Amino acid sequence: MSKTIVLLGTFDTKGREFAYIKEIIEKRGHQTILIDAGIMGSPLIQPDISRKEVAFKGGSTIEELVSKKDRGFAIDIM
Protein backbone atom coordinates (compact mmCIF):
# COMPACT_ATOMS: atom_id res chain seq x y z
CA MET A 1 0.00 0.00 0.00
CA SER A 2 1.41 3.36 -1.07
CA LYS A 3 1.59 6.15 1.49
CA THR A 4 2.12 9.88 1.25
CA ILE A 5 4.94 11.08 3.46
CA VAL A 6 5.46 14.76 4.27
CA LEU A 7 9.01 16.06 4.52
CA LEU A 8 9.32 19.41 6.27
CA GLY A 9 12.66 21.12 6.44
CA THR A 10 14.99 23.94 5.60
CA PHE A 11 15.71 23.26 1.96
CA ASP A 12 18.08 26.23 1.70
CA THR A 13 20.61 24.50 3.97
CA LYS A 14 19.56 20.83 3.99
CA GLY A 15 18.16 20.46 0.48
CA ARG A 16 20.59 17.75 -0.59
CA GLU A 17 19.80 15.66 2.46
CA PHE A 18 16.06 15.99 1.85
CA ALA A 19 16.52 15.10 -1.82
CA TYR A 20 18.24 11.89 -0.73
CA ILE A 21 15.48 10.99 1.72
CA LYS A 22 12.83 11.79 -0.93
CA GLU A 23 14.58 9.46 -3.38
CA ILE A 24 14.63 6.59 -0.87
CA ILE A 25 10.94 7.05 -0.03
CA GLU A 26 9.89 7.18 -3.67
CA LYS A 27 11.99 4.12 -4.57
CA ARG A 28 9.89 2.23 -2.02
CA GLY A 29 6.75 3.19 -3.93
CA HIS A 30 5.52 6.04 -1.74
CA GLN A 31 4.65 9.64 -2.57
CA THR A 32 6.21 12.69 -0.94
CA ILE A 33 5.10 16.21 -0.19
CA LEU A 34 7.99 18.61 0.35
CA ILE A 35 7.47 21.68 2.56
CA ASP A 36 10.22 24.30 2.67
CA ALA A 37 10.64 26.12 5.99
CA GLY A 38 13.98 27.74 5.14
CA ILE A 39 14.28 31.51 5.27
CA MET A 40 17.82 32.48 4.38
CA GLY A 41 18.50 31.26 0.86
CA SER A 42 16.98 29.68 -2.20
CA PRO A 43 15.90 26.06 -1.82
CA LEU A 44 18.32 23.47 -3.17
CA ILE A 45 15.38 21.25 -4.21
CA GLN A 46 11.95 22.15 -5.52
CA PRO A 47 9.33 22.04 -2.75
CA ASP A 48 5.67 21.29 -3.24
CA ILE A 49 4.85 23.99 -0.69
CA SER A 50 7.19 26.97 -0.83
CA ARG A 51 8.68 28.96 2.00
CA LYS A 52 6.62 31.93 0.82
CA GLU A 53 3.44 29.92 1.29
CA VAL A 54 4.53 28.77 4.76
CA ALA A 55 5.41 32.32 5.85
CA PHE A 56 2.08 33.63 4.51
CA LYS A 57 0.12 30.99 6.43
CA GLY A 58 2.13 31.98 9.52
CA GLY A 59 1.07 35.60 9.09
CA SER A 60 4.23 37.08 7.58
CA THR A 61 6.37 37.24 4.44
CA ILE A 62 9.82 35.87 3.69
CA GLU A 63 11.00 39.42 3.08
CA GLU A 64 9.88 40.47 6.57
CA LEU A 65 11.52 37.45 8.20
CA VAL A 66 14.83 38.06 6.45
CA SER A 67 14.82 41.80 7.16
CA LYS A 68 14.14 41.33 10.90
CA LYS A 69 17.22 39.11 11.30
CA ASP A 70 15.53 37.50 14.30
CA ARG A 71 15.94 33.73 14.12
CA GLY A 72 13.51 33.08 16.99
CA PHE A 73 10.78 35.16 15.37
CA ALA A 74 11.35 33.42 12.04
CA ILE A 75 11.16 29.97 13.63
CA ASP A 76 7.89 30.90 15.36
CA ILE A 77 6.35 32.03 12.06
CA MET A 78 7.63 29.14 10.00
Side-chain angles (χ1 to χ4, degrees):
M1 172 188 269
S2 178
K3 297 178 182 179
T4 300
I5 299 168
V6 176
L7 298 174
L8 167 68
T10 54
F11 296 167
D12 55 348
T13 59
K14 302 290 183 219
R16 288 183 185 90
E17 291 85 347
F18 279 99
Y20 176 71
I21 294 167
K22 176 185 186 308
E23 181 181 327
I24 291 170
I25 291 168
E26 291 179 349
K27 280 184 180 178
R28 293 183 178 196
H30 304 297
Q31 303 295 315
T32 58
I33 297 174
L34 302 176
I35 303 174
D36 184 15
I39 60 160
M40 299 315 281
S42 298
L44 301 174
I45 59 172
Q46 182 65 40
D48 297 300
I49 300 174
S50 72
R51 64 191 189 143
K52 288 183 179 187
E53 292 174 87
V54 174
F56 177 76
K57 292 291 185 178
S60 189
T61 66
I62 286 298
E63 294 78 18
E64 178 185 20
L65 298 178
V66 170
S67 70
K68 279 190 178 254
K69 297 181 182 177
D70 182 338
R71 185 172 185 262
F73 176 76
I75 289 171
D76 288 344
I77 295 295
M78 298 305 278

